[in-house]
């Protein structure tokens, strides 16, 4: 009784199993977060109102932290306020890694 | 803030391989350029899956593109769209004052096809088979999918009295940009001095919250200069201005004082297109031009396929993946979904990216991103050369399972300005490039 339930569970699990995770490329950390910037800064941070691709991560983080404090805020200053410090770092690292 | 000429010097020194198209995108400030460098050409990520996308608007085009650039060559993407090109709603209010034309607001699907390998099918969807996982087109063609994204935008209720095509032509909403926008522009220029332009705003939710107020401003500005003595009467079903309250209150009471008459809490009962009269809760109102924007619902493919679980009009979704609560395997993004986010093109583009990322994680057996952000941004012309803006950065709230604006990031411009107007053109060019190029 137990054995057939285990086998049934295994069969169901295998049937539902998607493509093996280890043979697919993982989404780069910070990519989805950074994609919030693409509408203005271009896909992958290339082009747009100002290219961010390849910029130094620490420089991006520093500028975004400065923007958070600006008053009266411009649109970009407001955007910056919506991210935590950890998120700002992820975003900076992502753009720095784009060539 | 890097000045453009310094940036170009730095870029040259760094050897950035920007193509001529890339440079022209940086240089063009008038929003006319739609070309850009080909970034994100698909590679082999090992991810495999077949996605069909219904609807080639801001959400549909963006999800198709990102499924390919992030998913790679193993992700088969077919985009079904009934029109040959996308007519941008964003900036279409500037057709009404003559500063843009609809022909300049057309976006082709050719880049999605040639750069990213999206299969673009011109057609109309008849039925969705959620069990068999296939979509049937009016042509009879049947397209199978592993996951389906439905992004049909909005359709409009019929106002009493405007049941016929003839009546609708006389009272256009021009809230789906295209021939109606051009027709409305022609109606405006045909107005006499001392004429009356009547517009109505439907109860929330409707697409582009600031849009109708922006339209009132743009039309009032043009009439003031070209048809003196004219009035713009705004009949708002809502209890007050629904977006950029400060900017539009200033616009209505100061900038366009004496031209715009704003009435909140107005119900439209019926319309007589022959006498050009609207019967409302505050009486009969007659105009030379009637621009009535009807209440919205999701594009009809939604209700036709049992997906309109939210008030019979929209689709409720899990905002970590945009998967429909009533239909696993089917994702709904953009205006057609019911979320806490506004209905607008810029945020639809971002919802599309969250959705694309989620589908690719589902295809590769990974957990969903637990804390996605989306963002809204919109510039609104107040006159022919000044604009205001609004914006918000949304974070996921795991308690309510909704996207919530991060408070300090949500707000509007302190004042209208010509600098904002110039930024608006750059923002628009960049946004359309990110979605279609």
């Amino acid at each position: 009784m137990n054995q057939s339930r285990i086998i049934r569970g295994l069969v169901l699990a295998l049937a539902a199993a998607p493509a093996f995770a280890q043979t697919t490329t993982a989404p780069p950390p910070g990519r989805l977060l950074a994609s919030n910037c693409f509408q203005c800064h271009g896909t992958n941070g290339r082009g747009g109102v100002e290219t961010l691709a390849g910029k130094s991560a620490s420089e991006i983080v520093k500028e975004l932290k400065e923007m958070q404090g600006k008053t009266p805020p411009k649109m970009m200053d407001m955007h910056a306020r919506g991210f935590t410090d950890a998120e700002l770092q992820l975003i900076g690292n992502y753009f720095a890694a784009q060539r | 803030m890097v000045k453009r000429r310094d940036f170009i010097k730095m870029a040259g020194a760094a050897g950035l391989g920007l193509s001529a198209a890339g440079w022209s995108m940086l240089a063009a400030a008038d929003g006319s350029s739609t070309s850009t460098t080909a970034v994100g050409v698909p590679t082999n990520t090992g991810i495999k899956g077949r996605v069909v996308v219904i609807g080639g608007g801001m959400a549909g085009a963006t999800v198709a593109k990102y499924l390919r650039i992030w998913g790679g060559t193993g992700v088969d993407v077919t985009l079904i769209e009934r029109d040959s090109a996308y007519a941008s709603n964003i900036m279409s209010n500037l057709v009404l004052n003559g500063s843009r034309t609809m022909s300049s607001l057309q976006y082709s699907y050719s880049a999605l096809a040639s750069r990213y390998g999206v299969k673009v099918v011109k057609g109309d969807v008849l039925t969705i088979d959620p069990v068999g996982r296939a979509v049937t087109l009016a042509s009879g063609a049947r397209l199978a999918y592993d996951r389906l994204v439905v992004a049909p935008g909005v359709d409009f209720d019929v106002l009493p009295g405007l049941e016929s095509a003839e009546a609708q032509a006389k009272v256009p909403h021009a809230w789906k940009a295209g021939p109606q926008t051009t027709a409305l522009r022609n109606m405006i220029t045909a107005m006499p001095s001392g004429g009356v332009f009547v517009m109505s705003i439907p109860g929330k939710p409707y697409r582009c919250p600031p849009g109708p107020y922006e339209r009132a401003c743009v039309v009032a500005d043009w009439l003031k200069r070209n048809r003196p003595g004219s009035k713009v009467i705004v009949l708002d079903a809502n209890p007050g201005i629904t977006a950029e309250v400060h900017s539009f209150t200033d616009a209505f009471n100061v900038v366009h004082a004496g031209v715009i008459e704003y009435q909140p809490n107005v119900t439209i009962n019926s319309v007589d297109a022959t006498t050009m009269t609207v019967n409302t809760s505050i009486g009969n109102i007659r105009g030379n031009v009637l621009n009535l924007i009807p209440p919205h619902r999701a594009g009809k493919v939604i209700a036709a396929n049992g997906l309109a679980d939210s008030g019979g009009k929209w689709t409720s979704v899990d905002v970590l993946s945009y998967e429909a609560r009533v239909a696993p395997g089917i994702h709904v993004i953009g205006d057609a979904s019911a979320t806490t986010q506004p209905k607008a093109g810029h945020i639809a583009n971002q919802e599309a990216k969250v959705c694309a990322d989620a589908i690719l994680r589902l295809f590769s057996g990974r957990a969903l991103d637990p804390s996605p952000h989306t963002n809204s941004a919109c510039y609104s012309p107040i006159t022919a050369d000044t604009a205001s803006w609004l914006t918000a950065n949304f974070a996921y709230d795991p308690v309510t399972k909704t996207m919530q604006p991060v408070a300090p990031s949500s707000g509007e411009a302190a004042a209208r300005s010509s600098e904002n107007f110039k930024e608006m053109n750059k923002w628009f060019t960049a946004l359309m490039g990110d979605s279609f190029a």
Side-chain angles (χ1 to χ4, degrees), chain B residues 41-62:
Chain B
V41 176
T43 57
N44 184 6
T45 65
I47 302 174
K48 288 190 184 343
R50 204 170 26 171
V51 184
V52 168
V53 179
I54 299 175
M58 299 298 285
T62 304

Side-chain angles (χ1 to χ4, degrees), chain B residues 272-420:
Chain B
D272 186 334
T274 312
T275 62
M276 294 296 276
T277 307
V278 197
N279 178 267
T280 80
S281 53
I282 58 166
N284 284 338
I285 297 168
R286 198 157 174 203
N288 299 94
V289 180
L290 299 184
N291 174 218
L292 309 181
I293 304 169
H296 297 17
R297 61 185 61 238
K300 60 188 192 314
V301 68
I302 291 286
N305 288 280
L307 294 170
D309 65 304
S310 177
K313 295 187 168 205
W314 318 100
T315 308
S316 313
V317 298
D318 171 0
V319 289
L320 293 182
S321 64
Y322 292 87
E323 193 164 36
R325 297 216 183 274
V326 296
I330 298 178
H331 302 250
V332 178
I333 51 174
D335 289 359
S337 64
T339 74
T340 52
Q341 297 160 115
K343 296 186 186 308
H346 180 112
I347 197 167
N349 160 296
Q350 192 59 39
E351 292 174 14
K353 291 160 181 165
V354 175
C355 179
D357 178 75
I359 287 175
L360 296 173
R361 285 166 181 265
L362 290 164
F363 280 164
S364 47
R366 293 190 165 89
L368 299 178
D369 188 318
S371 51
H373 276 250
T374 56
N375 75 95
S376 70
C378 208
Y379 286 86
S380 291
I382 303 291
T383 63
D385 57 12
T386 60
S388 64
W389 50 259
L390 62 71
T391 198
N393 186 332
F394 292 78
Y396 181 69
D397 171 25
V399 174
T400 59
K401 299 194 168 137
T402 63
M403 298 303 291
Q404 291 296 328
V406 180
S409 78
S410 176
E412 59 179 297
R416 69 188 176 104
S417 71
S418 53
E419 193 190 338
N420 288 339

